[in-house]
């Protein structure tokens, strides 16, 4: 075990830096992919494109001085009704759009620390979580992550990726002029799902993944952790092996197929999403990519507020090409 050069005082019974220094993190390669990995995901994306999302908007009790906030409902695969919010700029026509992916802690309200005031933001609650809760799916991450984990074609993570793709379709139905001006912003749970979605959806022109989960599933099962990762580890121990379905839901394997410019915020120290898995996602991206190194993830640390501000500035710069060319309003009068 190597001595890490990034650590904090903590009460975990393991080292959330896992002994990796930055050079070692930047050397983590993705695992071997199943032979039909690409075929599986291409077929899944094609099916998602056949879903008519039929987006429905309603007034929201939430208010913001810069954005009009509405509740949004749209249809996803397997008959799931996905609910969330749509944020549109109050004082100017939208020039770009984003789908936002939340973490496994759920989401009670849309975030407002957003990179562009002239952007449209679709903020879904992924199936089974928050406004999209539906029994018998549990909202608790340690159970949600196990829902149908033994069934590749029904595993909950695949359905959540469908929710991103059908959300993109819904956003383009509401604002067709934003085609070519759409990006994805996802954190943790939503970051890992985002890698799986971006790899196959050319309608998303850029992507940002913050401490992405589900990277390098074999490592994720080996390294001690807390939360949903620990739940999958217990499941694998009880059944004597890693569920075969997990080989297909590996964010690092999907990242190898991403063609869009990408911005990744990866942490050096993280008790919930092991840093080697996060960096495996970044390392696998074959094209243009930008790395923002966080001191820690899923953990409070002294310079967190400063790093959050710097990350938002970097993300704003990275997303600027999406909003550089004005797009006509989809609801214009011409």
């Amino acid at each position: 075990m190597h001595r890490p050069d990034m650590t904090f005082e903590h009460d975990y019974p393991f080292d959330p830096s896992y002994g990796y220094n930055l050079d070692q993190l930047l050397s983590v390669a993705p695992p071997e992919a199943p032979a039909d990995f690409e075929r599986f995901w291409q077929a899944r994306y094609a099916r998602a494109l056949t879903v008519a999302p039929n987006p429905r908007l309603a007034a929201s009790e939430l208010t913001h001085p810069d954005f009009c906030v509405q509740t949004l409902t749209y249809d996803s695969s397997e008959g799931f009704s996905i609910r969330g919010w749509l944020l549109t700029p109050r004082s100017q026509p939208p020039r770009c759009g984003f789908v936002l992916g939340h973490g496994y802690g759920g989401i009670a309200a849309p975030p407002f620390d957003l990179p562009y005031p002239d952007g449209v933001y679709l903020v879904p609650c992924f199936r089974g979580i928050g406004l999209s809760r539906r029994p018998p799916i549990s909202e608790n991450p340690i159970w949600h992550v196990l829902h149908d984990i033994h069934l590749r074609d029904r595993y909950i993570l695949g359905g959540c990726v469908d929710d991103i793709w059908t959300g993109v379709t819904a956003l383009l139905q509401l604002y067709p002029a934003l085609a070519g001006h759409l990006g994805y912003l996802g954190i943790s749970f939503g970051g890992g799902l985002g890698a799986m979605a971006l790899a196959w959806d050319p309608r998303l022109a850029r992507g940002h993944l913050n401490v992405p989960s589900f990277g390098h599933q074999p490592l994720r099962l080996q390294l001690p952790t807390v939360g949903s990762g620990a739940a999958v580890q217990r499941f694998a121990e009880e059944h004597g092996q890693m569920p075969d379905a997990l080989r297909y839901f590996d964010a690092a394997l999907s990242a190898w197929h991403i063609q869009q410019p990408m911005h990744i915020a990866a942490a050096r120290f993280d008790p919930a999403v092991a840093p080697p898995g996060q960096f495996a996602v970044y390392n696998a991206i074959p094209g243009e990519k930008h790395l923002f190194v966080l001191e820690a993830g899923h953990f409070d640390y002294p310079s967190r507020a400063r790093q959050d501000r710097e990350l938002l500035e970097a993300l704003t710069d990275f997303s600027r090409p999406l909003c550089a060319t004005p797009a006509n309003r989809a609801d214009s009068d011409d």
Side-chain angles (χ1 to χ4, degrees):
M1 181 69 71
H2 299 276
R3 184 180 183 276
D5 52 9
M6 176 60 67
T7 190
F8 298 94
E9 292 186 7
H10 62 87
D11 296 325
Y12 297 102
F14 58 90
D15 174 13
S17 75
Y18 302 92
Y20 283 71
N21 62 36
L22 185 56
D23 287 340
Q24 291 163 335
L25 289 170
L26 290 169
S27 299
V28 178
E32 183 178 354
D36 60 344
F37 181 84
E38 187 172 354
R39 186 165 62 251
F40 165 77
W41 278 106
Q42 288 176 337
R44 181 154 204 138
Y45 176 61
R47 288 194 300 270
L49 291 183
T50 68
V51 176
N54 185 28
R56 287 89 74 190
L57 294 170
S60 171
E61 296 179 354
L62 300 174
T63 61
H64 189 273
D66 299 323
F67 293 98
C68 174
V69 184
Q70 296 172 285
T71 60
L72 169 70
T73 305
Y74 65 90
D75 301 323
S76 188
S77 62
E78 301 175 299
F80 270 85
S81 182
I82 302 302
R83 300 189 66 213
W85 301 270
L86 187 76
L87 280 59
T88 53
R90 287 187 179 275
S91 59
Q92 54 192 314
R95 297 198 301 170
C96 50
F98 299 89
V99 177
L100 272 56
H102 62 78
Y104 236 157
I107 180 170
F112 290 113
D113 50 343
L114 302 168
Y116 280 95
D118 53 0
V120 174
Y121 298 88
L122 187 151
V123 189
C125 297
F126 294 120
R127 62 182 63 191
I129 298 175
L131 298 180
S132 300
R133 62 179 61 89
R134 190 173 98 173
I137 302 171
S138 173
E139 284 191 85
N140 189 323
I142 67 173
W143 296 112
H144 187 278
V145 76
L146 298 180
H147 193 85
D148 286 337
I149 194 173
H150 58 297
L151 302 173
R152 185 190 68 169
D153 295 328
R154 292 188 56 83
Y155 185 29
I156 192 71
L157 295 191
C160 292
V161 175
D162 291 349
D163 300 341
I164 296 173
W165 290 331
T166 53
V168 172
T169 304
L171 187 53
L172 286 172
Q173 287 185 2
L174 293 168
Y175 290 90
L178 295 184
H181 299 269
L182 300 184
Y184 179 84
L185 312 174
I187 186 169
S188 191
F189 173 62
L193 297 177
M196 300 176 206
L198 282 150
W200 317 105
D201 193 342
R203 300 173 301 172
L204 294 166
R206 283 182 173 244
H208 164 72
L209 311 177
N210 190 334
V211 294
S213 188
F214 312 122
H216 205 310
Q217 292 283 16
L219 265 180
R220 184 167 173 257
L221 287 177
Q222 295 172 17
L223 301 175
T225 188
V226 298
S228 65
V232 176
Q233 290 176 349
R234 288 192 295 269
F235 182 93
E237 290 171 1
E238 291 170 2
H239 292 79
Q241 61 182 357
M242 178 177 84
D244 185 67
L246 282 184
R247 299 178 64 217
Y248 295 84
F249 298 92
D250 191 310
L253 289 180
S254 284
W256 180 254
H257 296 271
I258 291 176
Q259 300 300 313
Q260 304 93 323
M262 294 293 297
H263 187 277
I264 309 296
R268 303 277 307 282
F269 177 103
D270 193 324
V273 180
Q278 297 181 36
F279 277 82
V281 174
Y282 170 78
N283 296 338
I285 297 169
E288 179 185 343
K289 56 185 176 181
H290 306 264
L291 177 64
F292 187 98
V293 178
L294 293 166
E295 293 180 23
H298 300 89
F299 185 83
D300 199 13
Y301 57 101
S303 57
R304 180 174 180 176
R306 174 183 58 78
Q307 283 214 299
D308 285 346
R309 290 192 302 270
E310 293 173 350
L311 176 58
L312 185 58
E313 292 174 1
L315 181 56
T316 300
D317 289 341
F318 170 76
S319 303
R320 185 165 287 114
L322 289 177
C323 303
T325 303
N328 295 325
R329 286 182 64 96
D331 57 352
S332 63
D333 295 328
D334 54 16

